[in-house]
Amino acid sequence: MSKPRFVAALLAAAALTACAQTPPPPALAPAPAPAAVAAPSEDRAPVTILVSIDGFRPDYLGRGVTPVLSRLAATGVTGPMRPSFPSKTFPNHWTLVTGVRPDRHGIVANRMENPADPADVFTMATDDPTWWNGAEPIWVAAERAGIRTATQFWPGSNVAIGGTRAAEWPHALSGGTRPSDWQQYNEAIGPTQRVNGVLDWLRRPAAIRPRLLTLYFEAVDTAGHRFGPASPQVDEAIAGVDASVGALVDGLAALGQPANLVIVADHGMAATSSTRVVALDTLADPARYHVVEAGPYASLTPLPGQTAAVEKALLGHHDHMQCWRKGEIPARFHYGRNPRVPAILCLAETGWQVLATAPKAAQSGGNHGFDNMAPEMAALFVANGPAFARGRTIPAFDNVDVYPLLRDLIGLPPGEDVDGSDAPFRRVLTAN
Ligand code: AMP
Ligand code: ZN
Ligand code: ZN
């Protein structure tokens, strides 16, 4: 035995003897087993981290306030990503992790009404699996394949996918799969805590350490809504999230944890104003229909016996707005077959809004939900890590392609029956 090892063995033996003489503390947590700490010099395999910056337009990288994200883009892969219609948060986050468009996965809006029971309403707080079971998110496929996952927020990550919720109180949940580690969404948990949460998960011993993680930031979207995309407040929010991504990158380096970062947005942001509003009640009698959602698009249901009158008043082109029956929405939107899409969709020209009535007070800010091909709705995509080539810009692609990319990164075979493919990334993946 070499001298240092001999000394270490002696010290260990002395420690064991000391333990044997000291009575154990009563009812305290047991001392951690040696395997409960990550080996400091461990050679770690890359993990995949999917980061969403809500409402981050790709052109925000050109504002001079993103040293970290711009460096990751310059030394990795970037390109404008087209959201799916409608360019809203929940439909697109669910598409990003399922590879399926909203009309197929069933999260067709941020707010939905059950067509069989209009009192049954989906909101961003709904975790009843019934609403979410139309497609399987990547963390369910990963967990099934033995790949541990952890989500520091992502719409739907608090839902037991595949499970059922009893109709009667206390609405017991049975079955279903969530990520091994997930967090209930809470805006009070700030960006530093979120980044530290991810890093703490990666500090775990290999046996309980996630290999696919998500992270979410809402600040850029919030500022975009309140102040508009061109505002200094948005620049400030962009800089803040950029610093958080920097803290993540630095923390990973300090841990010696290689990572493939896939940094995305769900949609962009367009400037809106109370001077650019189409008020539905100026076109059709509001006693004849029920508005389900209003904003960049309005969705509505004619009341019984009122369909013909409402259609006559609304269908077709109007100044700054176009309305369709759900079955006649142009094919490029891939929208309208799902029973949860209300009977009539009225889409505003980008920057305008379709509201039930004219706004009572002057207001300006930003919104999204418009035509998903509008340049203002384009979403950030930056990928960086050992799996990606350096310094490559790819042409615009659809966000349904992110899920197949994630499957490649975590080593799962291509998904079946999804709307996207990894084709946009094949030339920028180092293994290919
Ligand atoms: P949107 O305006 O459609 O972009 O929605 C953005 C908002 O969605 C955020 O400001 C949050 O309030 C909310 N949100 C984002 N993620 C979640 C989540 N996982 N659970 C509940 N609400 C969320
Ligand atoms: Zn959003
Ligand atoms: Zn938003």
Side-chain angles (χ1 to χ4, degrees):
M1 195 182 279
S2 70
K3 200 172 174 195
R5 274 205 204 163
F6 177 65
V7 173
L10 267 185
L11 285 173
L16 275 178
T17 317
C19 283
Q21 288 163 353
T22 317
L28 282 181
V37 271
S41 59
E42 181 195 341
D43 198 9
R44 289 167 171 249
V47 295
T48 301
I49 309 181
L50 175 65
V51 181
S52 166
I53 311 179
D54 200 309
F56 195 116
R57 285 178 5 186
D59 62 296
Y60 287 176
L61 290 181
R63 293 190 174 189
V65 293
T66 52
V68 175
L69 287 164
S70 295
R71 178 168 48 80
L72 291 172
T75 60
V77 175
T78 192
M81 184 166 71
R82 283 184 292 260
S84 299
F85 188 83
S87 48
K88 293 267 188 177
T89 296
F90 271 49
N92 278 286
H93 276 90
W94 207 229
T95 289
L96 286 161
V97 295
T98 61
V100 173
R101 292 198 177 89
D103 217 30
R104 280 187 64 205
H105 65 50
I107 305 298
V108 300
N110 281 347
R111 184 183 183 281
M112 300 184 273
E113 292 176 2
N114 179 347
D117 173 13
D120 179 14
V121 174
F122 173 95
T123 69
M124 292 198 266
T126 300
D127 61 1
D128 178 350
T130 314
W131 287 98
W132 295 88
N133 281 341
E136 185 183 87
I138 186 135
W139 52 79
V140 172
E143 293 279 346
R144 194 190 307 115
I147 299 166
R148 192 174 171 111
T149 65
T151 48
Q152 183 63 64
F153 306 152
W154 195 274
S157 63
N158 57 338
V159 179
I161 298 298
T164 50
R165 180 175 177 266
E168 312 77 41
W169 193 88
H171 306 295
L173 267 177
S174 53
T177 305
R178 293 186 177 99
S180 287
D181 294 283
W182 58 278
Q183 297 285 346
Q184 183 62 43
Y185 183 68
N186 185 345
E187 284 183 16
I189 296 172
T192 303
Q193 229 180 311
R194 297 181 198 188
V195 169
N196 286 340
V198 164
L199 293 171
D200 284 344
W201 278 326
L202 292 171
R203 212 166 268 129
R204 287 177 174 178
I208 56 162
R209 189 189 304 154
R211 285 157 58 194
L212 169 68
L213 303 96
T214 71
L215 178 59
Y216 169 83
F217 300 106
E218 73 279 359
V220 173
D221 178 77
T222 307
H225 283 296
R226 289 187 63 195
F227 305 105
S231 64
Q233 290 89 344
V234 164
D235 285 356
E236 209 175 298
I238 295 169
V241 174
D242 189 76
S244 299
V245 176
L248 174 68
V249 170
D250 292 349
L252 291 168
L255 267 179
Q257 176 61 67
N260 289 308
L261 298 178
V262 178
I263 305 172
V264 297
D266 47 352
H267 49 71
M269 185 66 68
T272 53
S273 163
S274 49
T275 61
R276 294 193 297 275
V277 166
V278 179
L280 284 171
D281 65 349
T282 62
L283 298 170
D285 176 358
R288 296 182 191 275
Y289 55 84
H290 164 66
V291 177
V292 179
E293 279 194 300
Y297 66 85
S299 57
L300 49 102
T301 317
L303 296 179
Q306 302 297 330
T307 300
V310 173
E311 288 186 345
K312 187 162 181 286
L314 291 180
L315 293 185
H317 281 277
H318 300 263
D319 286 347
H320 314 294
M321 176 184 90
Q322 194 168 359
C323 300
W324 302 277
R325 284 190 197 102
K326 65 180 286 189
E328 293 166 0
I329 298 169
R332 70 180 183 83
F333 291 107
H334 301 279
Y335 197 68
R337 287 174 183 228
N338 195 292
R340 294 175 186 167
V341 176
I344 294 179
L345 177 81
C346 295
L347 179 62
E349 180 184 323
T350 303
W352 285 70
Q353 298 196 83
V354 187
L355 303 181
T357 56
K360 298 210 169 21
Q363 179 270 342
S364 64
N367 215 341
H368 51 87
F370 298 104
D371 186 337
N372 54 322
M373 302 290 265
E376 296 91 332
M377 293 299 101
L380 178 76
F381 176 88
V382 172
N384 193 300
F388 294 99
R390 293 171 65 85
R392 302 283 285 274
T393 300
I394 55 175
F397 62 94
D398 294 339
N399 69 350
V400 287
D401 299 331
V402 169
Y403 170 85
L405 168 67
L406 295 171
R407 288 187 72 106
D408 290 346
L409 293 175
I410 64 173
L412 289 182
E416 280 168 27
D417 197 25
V418 294
D419 291 328
S421 95
D422 65 1
F425 313 107
R426 280 187 204 138
R427 290 197 181 160
V428 295
L429 287 170
T430 48
N432 294 288

